Amino acid sequence: MNPPHLSLDSLTLTDTEPMEMLKAAAGAGFDTVSLWVQAPPLFPSALLSADKEQECARVLEDTGLNVVTLEVFDLHSLEAIDSYRDALERGVRLGAKTALTINYSNPDAGAAADLLARFAEVAGEVGLGVNLEPVAGGHTTTLSQAERLIVASGADVGITFDPWHVIGGGGSIDDLSAIDLSRIRYVQLCDGPIPMPEEQVGMGAVCERTYPGEGQFPLLGMLNLLPKDVPYGVECPSVSRAQAGRSALEQAREVRAAALRVLQALG
């Protein structure tokens, strides 16, 4: 399997400035990327702020890269969602197609559903689709919880599948049989240990994951069940590689090669 678009999701290069990330993605052979338009956890340099928009547009044009999604919008409050509009509009001007949301902060499922509906409305007004990612350590953790939240919201929202959060949240490949798989509209590739040490779940998600095919996740089994006609990205942050002196381009090349080996193994 070789999906038509393989995205370098920007968390992979951790605290890398956006233009350097874009050039590394293009140099490594990626054709799409995600962009942090909300302040990323721990890595402030990776934020594509408003004052960098025109430079980013030029780099995107020069490299031929497309923006597949914008990251990441928490269902925190109505005030927060209204404040996201500027970042969403910035992403649309740069060609983004979707925005990624998470329910990290809101323990009230009813309120979170209302917020998801409002976020989908705001994103739709500027021309963006929405995907919801369940995240370990948040309040919407599992694929089933994500599906229930989407149904409760009444909004046309997809699910982003990230095996790190499925395994880190105590789930397994069996979680895929519990949901309507057509709801999955984005797939992120990464790998890691089984069982996952509790202390590794949160910090590992942001700072240190294993490249696809180099850990113990049942990636091939999962991918065999997942939709093949949706965008795929790699989200494999590795602070250790950056600290060891590996450039953004070297990391992008290595993670793309690892992802392609896994995808090609599917036949």
Side-chain angles (χ1 to χ4, degrees):
M1 174 191 171
N2 192 359
H5 301 292
L6 184 60
S7 170
L8 178 65
D9 290 355
S10 53
L11 182 61
T12 298
L13 298 186
T14 58
D15 205 19
T16 300
E17 186 271 336
M19 268 43 81
E20 183 182 358
M21 183 274 292
L22 293 174
K23 292 172 183 176
F30 288 93
D31 50 15
T32 57
V33 295
S34 75
L35 290 176
W36 283 102
V37 291
Q38 288 292 111
L42 304 182
F43 305 125
S45 297
L47 174 66
L48 180 68
S49 53
D51 61 321
K52 297 177 181 177
E53 180 183 335
Q54 293 306 312
E55 184 182 2
C56 182
R58 289 192 295 270
V59 175
L60 287 171
E61 183 176 4
D62 290 345
T63 58
L65 288 167
N66 294 304
V67 180
V68 65
T69 198
L70 305 174
E71 304 195 61
V72 58
F73 301 87
D74 186 22
L75 299 174
H76 180 275
S77 63
L78 283 173
E79 293 77 13
I81 288 173
D82 288 340
S83 76
Y84 295 153
R85 186 179 292 269
D86 286 348
L88 294 169
E89 291 177 341
R90 186 185 321 141
V92 169
R93 290 191 294 269
L94 293 168
K97 303 298 186 292
T98 62
L100 177 65
T101 187
I102 59 175
N103 179 27
Y104 192 79
S105 301
N106 204 313
D108 185 323
D114 291 341
L115 291 172
L116 179 58
R118 176 58 182 160
F119 181 71
E121 180 181 17
V122 171
E125 287 170 357
V126 302
L128 290 167
V130 171
N131 292 320
L132 171 68
E133 181 177 358
V135 292
H139 290 288
T140 299
T141 300
T142 69
L143 294 170
S144 293
Q145 288 171 347
E147 183 175 54
R148 289 196 295 270
L149 187 60
I150 291 168
V151 170
S153 76
D156 181 17
V157 172
I159 293 175
T160 290
F161 175 83
D162 183 337
W164 184 275
H165 291 294
V166 171
I167 301 299
S172 71
I173 190 173
D174 294 338
D175 290 22
L176 288 168
S177 65
I179 66 165
D180 176 359
L181 293 178
S182 69
R183 293 188 184 277
I184 294 178
R185 298 181 186 171
Y186 194 87
V187 174
Q188 291 179 316
L189 300 177
C190 65
D191 216 327
I194 294 180
M196 188 181 294
E198 184 176 351
E199 66 275 9
Q200 195 171 344
V201 174
M203 288 303 294
V206 179
C207 295
E208 200 68 42
R209 304 190 192 187
T210 306
Y211 282 2
E214 299 176 6
Q216 296 173 307
F217 291 175
L219 272 184
L220 290 179
M222 288 176 165
L223 294 173
N224 272 318
L225 298 174
L226 293 169
K228 308 299 190 293
D229 57 349
V230 301
Y232 278 56
V234 289
E235 186 172 74
C236 296
S238 181
V239 169
S240 65
R241 285 179 171 84
Q243 291 177 339
R246 302 201 63 76
S247 70
L249 177 58
E250 288 172 322
Q251 292 176 68
R253 284 174 171 163
E254 289 173 2
V255 77
R256 183 174 184 271
L260 289 179
R261 283 193 294 271
V262 169
L263 295 175
Q264 289 162 358
L266 292 175

